[in-house]
Amino acid sequence: MTDDATPSWQHLLDLVAQLDSGSYDSASVTYGDVSVQLSRSGPLTAPAPVPSRASTTPATTSPEPSGTIIASPMIGVFYRCPSPGAPPFVELGASVGADTTIGIVEVMKMMNPVSAGVNGTLTSFLVKDHEQVEYGQALAVVAEASSQ
Amino acid sequence: MIEKGNANSGAPPVVLVANRGEIAVRIIAAARRIGASPVLAASTADADSPAARLADRVIVIGPASAAQSYLRPELIATAALQAGASVVHPGYGFLSEQPELAELLEIENIAFAGPRPETLRAVGDKSSARKVAVAAGVPVAPAVEVDDVEAVAGLGDSIGYPLLIKAVFGGGGRGIRLVNDAGDLARLAPQAAAEALAAFGNGALYLERFYPAARHVEVQVFGDGEGRAQIFGDRDCSVQRRHQKLIEECPAPGLSAATRAVMHDASRALVQALAYRGAGTVEFLVDTQSEAVVFLEVNARIQVEHPVTEEAYGIDLVAAQLRLALGGDPELPDVPPVPSATVLELRINAEDPENDFRPSPGTISRVRWPSGPGIRVDTQLEDGYRFPPFYDSLMAKLIVRAHSRNAAVAAARSAAATVEIEGVTTTLALHEFVLSHPDFIRGGVTTSWFGPTWEHRSEQRMESVR
């Protein structure tokens, strides 16, 4: 599967990390015979319409049901880590800012970074790493920092 | 039967329905008919729709906006993977004729219930489709390129009048001139060339025959993908407003056997030449003055009006598409060119025909359909359904079959009169008008009949109110 002309996962993720800190709406990079497309869907701060079935697996199991739900911006596969074996983008209990990437949703090789959207503490993930997710599905909960 | 895709042997194959509205309901029914499991790919606006409840599973692919959901091939392909689908049915509109979806599915070894991507490309734009048609011996509108704008008289005579002057590099209807005689042509051709040069950077022109009084007649085809073609009669779809079909019927009324044979034979030749796979429609104009037949385009998908053909011949075209895509026998019979029954379809839209066909989305408080011999209703409506404003306005298709055209027109009129749809304005009033109009009852109106006739009625109503 991997040959010399194929970039490694680490190459791709370095690329994603580098692009993630820049400002762009979509980017397409061709690397040997591999082409990588990234796009931002904009901050999903507004609670996206949650599919009816997803709403039957609500945040009741979450320790912070009053937290802000981070919804998936896309149908795809959710990744918590930039690469297999690498530490996750964010650990449980870590504090996050609105722009903090908490994971990636991959759709047909297109990596869509998911931002926390709010400032606070990431209290739980509602989907597993590598899990298939639908548009609007709740991914994680953030307890917002109290705005005094 | 050859198993395709991810289906485990034993488990029913999964059909991903990549559409919405009445055609999603229709595809789900076809999936059930072949013993498959339907899964619906839906936007958030349709995640609770009647189609969603009929499916075994719903996968939410994106927000209400079609540009971020139903029109994104990668989202549909992802949903097909998540569903474990063996086949994706794209319905009509949206991605049904986009080679990109078919190609993405090919990579994932998931079947596409439609033609091959290269066929979609070959017939996807008018000039390429015309080339394919000419090569297959299909009659096209006479057209010729202009070499010298100062010497066009001979060209005009070779094509016949009236004709259109068009810019070779033009588009969107710009720069088109209607010409009625040789004097007009000699005067307008140099002007048109100068304009084309200014507008498109190239002054090249061509002349094309124009048919001011033509009917829209189309032929239903089905190909096995290896060169075998089946023809399932024809449909007349001439009752149109701004190129939107309102009423369709099978068979097209009042065609001579010779005219019908020209269309059917040309359609068969085209399917064979393309080794066309699955259901398709070859559209023609039939000039009411000369009975000349000219090719318009190929619709490489199931069409909205497919039920009139299904009812006329007792077939299930959507199930046949799915069976073929799954590697099986489509189970379609060979049929005569003219069916023994006549079938009409009335499109009921959420539009206000008394107010320039303004869209009228909203909540359907109550809906009741007629029943009886030969009546079929394809719809997603139900009591309490909120008709969304994001998509097209088609609410339902009322399909009526009878032993003769006169009987079918009368039956359709009485069926339409008993439809009850409360909560939104619909186009039912125009159906009552058309089905009782002597021109329509006689049969064979042209595509330019409905617009002015309806306008005239509206004016008369305004006057009678005064």
Side-chain angles (χ1 to χ4, degrees), chain B residues 23-24 53 168 216 219 251 268 289 315 360 376 448:
Chain B
I23 195 64
R53 286 195 294 283
V168 172
H216 175 116
V219 176
R268 188 178 292 106
Q289 281 145 22
I315 56 174
S360 69
R376 162 177 167 181
S448 50

Side-chain angles (χ1 to χ4, degrees), chain B residues 18-273:
Chain B
N19 214 301
R20 61 172 308 283
E22 67 86 20
I23 195 64
V25 174
R26 174 73 190 86
I27 299 164
I28 289 167
R32 298 275 182 219
R33 177 169 282 198
I34 67 161
S37 167
V39 174
L40 183 72
S43 77
T44 51
D46 293 324
D48 271 328
S49 63
R53 286 195 294 283
L54 289 169
D56 286 344
R57 184 184 165 193
V58 182
I59 296 179
V60 179
I61 53 167
S65 158
Q68 294 175 71
S69 53
Y70 296 112
L71 286 168
R72 296 277 291 270
E74 74 278 19
L75 303 185
I76 299 295
T78 302
L81 284 169
Q82 291 195 1
S86 298
V87 56
V88 172
H89 197 303
Y92 50 70
F94 294 137
L95 296 170
S96 57
E97 295 177 272
Q98 294 305 315
E100 289 78 10
L101 175 61
E103 282 164 351
L104 279 178
L105 294 174
E106 216 164 67
I107 293 166
E108 304 295 343
N109 194 30
I110 297 170
F112 175 72
R116 285 183 295 274
E118 59 266 31
T119 309
L120 296 176
R121 288 214 161 80
V123 300
D125 75 88
K126 285 209 176 187
S127 75
S128 155
R130 182 183 162 104
K131 282 194 193 101
V132 172
V134 170
V138 174
V140 296
V144 64
E145 287 204 33
V146 175
D147 293 326
D148 179 359
V149 289
E150 302 299 336
V152 285
L155 294 180
D157 291 345
S158 75
I159 285 183
Y161 295 91
L163 58 78
L164 298 171
I165 307 177
K166 293 185 176 180
V168 172
F169 295 93
R174 287 199 303 162
I176 295 178
R177 278 185 167 66
L178 175 61
V179 168
N180 286 311
D181 55 45
D184 272 2
L185 181 60
R187 187 167 49 83
L188 292 172
Q191 279 181 26
E195 268 193 24
L197 182 61
F200 310 116
N202 188 307
L205 300 177
Y206 68 100
L207 310 180
E208 188 180 273
R209 182 64 190 269
F210 176 64
Y211 303 95
R215 294 166 59 185
H216 175 116
V217 181
E218 58 188 31
V219 176
Q220 176 68 52
V221 301
F222 199 96
D224 70 353
E226 289 163 14
R228 196 172 100 88
Q230 285 180 283
I231 303 294
F232 293 93
D234 41 63
R235 299 183 283 258
D236 189 308
C237 315
S238 300
V239 180
Q240 302 183 357
R241 177 178 178 273
R242 298 190 183 162
H243 302 290
Q244 297 298 310
K245 297 167 185 168
L246 302 169
I247 297 178
E248 302 97 344
E249 56 185 291
C250 173
L255 288 186
S256 72
T259 301
R260 173 163 277 126
V262 167
M263 278 187 285
H264 289 203
D265 291 347
S267 302
R268 188 178 292 106
L270 198 49
V271 171
Q272 288 166 344

Side-chain angles (χ1 to χ4, degrees), chain A residues 84-135:
Chain A
F89 286 104
V90 234
E91 298 282 1
L92 272 182
S95 56
V96 294
D99 294 337
T100 305
T101 297
I102 63 130
I104 287 174
V105 174
E106 183 241 309
V107 51
M108 292 279 131
K109 315 290 182 277
M110 196 149 97
M111 304 297 174
N112 301 276
V114 182
S115 305
V118 291
N119 297 318
T121 306
L122 196 138
T123 55
S124 64
F125 279 99
L126 303 175
V127 296
K128 292 196 267 304
D129 196 14
H130 289 57
E131 188 169 324
Q132 291 181 342
V133 297
E134 299 178 20
Y135 170 78

Side-chain angles (χ1 to χ4, degrees), chain B residues 352-359 454:
Chain B
D352 182 358
E354 309 292 354
N355 279 296
D356 203 29
F357 292 82
R358 190 187 304 153
W454 182 259

